[in-house]
Amino acid sequence: MEVKLGGAFLTCAMGPLHHAGASIQASRVPEGLVALAPEGLLGGFQRGVEHAAKLAGVRKEDVERLLPMDEVREAIERLGDSQTEAVVAWDVYAGRIGGLLEGVAEVTDYGQAPDVGLCLERLASKVRRDRPFAEPLQALADDIAAWQAMIGRCRKLLDESGGGALAKAYRRRQIRKLASIAVSALIIVAALSVIVRVQTARARVDALLARPEVCAVREIASGDLGRAASEQQRRVAARMEQCAAVEAREAREREERVRAEEKARAEEKARAERDERCAALAVRFKAGAFSEEDGKLAGVNNDLLRRIAQRRLLATDVGPTGPALPCDGARGGDELRAAFADALIASVWTWVPAADPGPKLGEVLAARRAELPPRAQTTLSFRTVYEAKRAIVSGDPAALGRATRLCALTAALEIASGAGCAALERIAGKPAP
């Protein structure tokens, strides 16, 4: 580390001196003297400082603080004066030298860089009898020797005094390099980790999109959705809309089921209450103790209940609609239905000759048909035949309706009705029974 820094500095700093020495050794003295200009020497020195700083990983100013820069600048200033004077002297007196330059090359060993200071001293020695010429060359040689000594001193400072500080700086540089490598590795690992996480998240999104359940997309985590591709996000958004529609439909269906169940419970409750009340009414009716409110409960008016109890029905009590049966379909209704049938048989001559029977009359009397007097059955048969013929001939809708209902009643009671009822069925487009 130390030799490397000092040697690097020395190579750069001595470059201009070596060039000048080589020129002088090759009898190109003017070129060599120009190469010793202070700008070139200081430039080589600064390049050496910069190179050492670069190797140590520090600033140029950090290296300069280890060196006697004030003395360096003073030496350069002296060199500037002596180099100028030497160039002027050479230009003035060089024409007298002739073959005196032949021995200059002897001061440098082959295989080594020429020592420009010794070269200048040999030149000055050659012309020592011409003092105006020799003195500037000797002064320049002395200043060059001092400059070389300064370079050697700076090298020593870099190798010894500054070695520890620069070594620490170098180690810091190496640590920074290693840290940079480590950070780069971490960045690569982090990038790979991100890529893996993104691919894994997108795979999970694809798996949930592939499920047949529309609302499976609700299981997608927000982090996975954020890492999903734009096409995946578009598909998820579309599935979300479909899911919302499905959930809204299911919510409506649940509400409808709840309302239907509530309605069914309410109807069941109402039926149970009606069954209970009708059962109580049947008991009271049998005892003849029904009240004014019982007709409303039974679904008929109180006059009808009273006529049923007294077995004195009117022709209008049997049709043309109904007839209205108390507590029809409720518990206790069968007993009231039987009471209504009793009243029908007891009042047979009230309704058989002229009544327009309702559609339920046959159902009420079917089980009691044997109790109808034969004469009443015959009368009902003649009426049906007559009304059927009259309705077919007239085509009157009211007559057709009345005849049709009479035919239905005689059919339910298994009473002969002739061919007229069959004709009516054909007219109505219904098959004969």
Side-chain angles (χ1 to χ4, degrees):
M1 164 71 186
E2 296 173 355
V3 175
K4 185 178 180 180
L5 289 177
F9 166 77
L10 184 65
T11 300
C12 294
M14 292 297 291
L17 295 173
H18 292 160
H19 176 67
S23 298
I24 293 173
Q25 185 181 10
S27 300
R28 299 193 304 275
V29 178
E31 181 181 341
L33 292 177
V34 172
L36 295 175
E39 295 81 6
L41 298 179
L42 184 59
F45 183 91
Q46 290 175 339
R47 285 192 296 274
V49 171
E50 291 172 356
H51 192 32
K54 183 178 180 181
L55 289 176
V58 297
R59 298 178 303 168
K60 172 185 173 184
E61 292 78 7
D62 296 331
V63 177
E64 288 180 345
R65 277 195 289 270
L66 300 174
L67 305 178
M69 295 305 298
D70 292 338
E71 298 179 28
V72 169
R73 281 186 284 271
E74 291 177 2
I76 285 295
E77 289 177 3
R78 289 194 300 271
L79 270 169
D81 296 337
S82 59
Q83 187 264 350
T84 301
E85 292 176 359
V87 170
V88 172
W90 180 267
D91 291 340
V92 174
Y93 301 108
R96 307 174 186 176
I97 295 178
L100 294 178
L101 296 177
E102 296 178 357
V104 174
E106 299 174 0
V107 302
T108 303
D109 296 333
Y110 290 104
Q112 296 183 357
D115 188 336
V116 67
L118 285 177
C119 290
L120 290 172
E121 285 184 3
R122 290 298 298 270
L123 280 176
S125 176
K126 291 283 187 180
V127 296
R128 60 181 177 276
R129 294 180 180 180
D130 193 351
R131 292 183 61 188
F133 190 15
E135 288 179 357
L137 292 176
Q138 185 61 50
L140 180 58
D142 294 340
D143 289 342
I144 289 296
W147 179 249
Q148 288 177 322
M150 179 62 69
I151 291 175
R153 179 183 170 191
C154 289
R155 175 188 180 180
K156 186 176 181 182
L157 287 172
L158 289 176
D159 287 344
E160 296 178 358
S161 302
L166 294 180
K168 291 179 181 177
Y170 181 78
R171 285 194 294 272
R172 287 196 299 271
R173 181 186 179 193
Q174 293 300 105
I175 291 173
R176 285 197 298 271
K177 284 185 178 180
L178 292 175
S180 177
I181 293 172
V183 169
S184 299
L186 288 175
I187 291 174
I188 292 173
V189 171
L192 291 175
S193 176
V194 169
I195 292 173
V196 170
R197 286 200 299 271
V198 168
Q199 294 300 325
T200 303
R202 291 181 177 181
R204 288 195 292 265
V205 171
D206 281 335
L208 290 172
L209 285 172
R211 287 173 54 179
E213 304 90 344
V214 175
C215 291
V217 291
R218 292 204 181 278
E219 299 178 19
I220 299 176
S222 59
D224 289 351
L225 185 58
R227 298 184 182 99
S230 57
E231 175 62 19
Q232 288 180 314
Q233 292 178 347
R234 185 192 65 76
R235 291 175 61 196
V236 169
R239 293 289 288 272
M240 284 291 190
E241 292 180 0
Q242 296 174 5
C243 177
V246 169
E247 290 178 338
R249 185 183 70 250
E250 291 177 349
R252 290 193 300 271
E253 292 174 353
R254 283 194 299 271
E255 291 177 359
E256 292 173 359
R257 284 197 299 271
V258 169
R259 287 195 296 269
E261 290 171 358
E262 291 176 351
K263 181 180 179 181
R265 285 193 295 270
E267 292 175 350
E268 181 63 26
K269 181 179 179 181
R271 277 195 300 271
E273 292 176 352
R274 184 168 180 263
D275 284 349
E276 184 176 350
R277 293 176 182 177
C278 283
L281 172 60
V283 173
R284 292 195 302 275
F285 184 83
K286 187 179 293 185
F290 53 90
S291 65
E292 294 294 328
E293 295 296 325
D294 287 338
K296 185 183 298 184
L297 170 63
V300 296
N301 59 55
N302 286 337
D303 290 340
L304 178 58
L305 284 178
R306 189 175 300 107
R307 287 195 295 273
I308 292 173
Q310 295 173 355
R311 297 185 178 183
R312 294 179 180 177
L313 296 178
L314 302 176
T316 54
D317 292 335
V318 300
T321 60
L325 302 175
C327 290
D328 190 21
R331 186 157 54 90
D334 291 342
E335 296 177 4
L336 294 173
R337 187 187 188 99
F340 186 80
D342 291 341
L344 283 172
I345 292 173
S347 308
V348 64
W349 294 111
T350 301
W351 59 269
V352 166
D356 186 356
K360 289 185 178 181
L361 187 60
E363 298 177 12
V364 176
L365 285 174
R368 307 280 296 274
R369 57 179 293 276
E371 299 178 34
L372 284 174
R375 182 182 168 196
Q377 294 185 29
T378 301
T379 302
L380 193 57
S381 175
F382 286 151
R383 273 199 64 206
T384 302
V385 172
Y386 173 76
E387 291 290 344
K389 290 180 179 180
R390 192 168 73 92
I392 292 172
V393 172
S394 67
D396 179 57
L400 288 170
R402 182 170 53 253
T404 299
R405 288 188 288 274
L406 282 168
C407 287
L409 175 61
T410 54
L413 298 178
E414 298 180 2
I415 297 174
S417 58
C421 288
L424 282 176
E425 289 180 358
R426 286 193 295 271
I427 291 173
K430 296 180 181 181

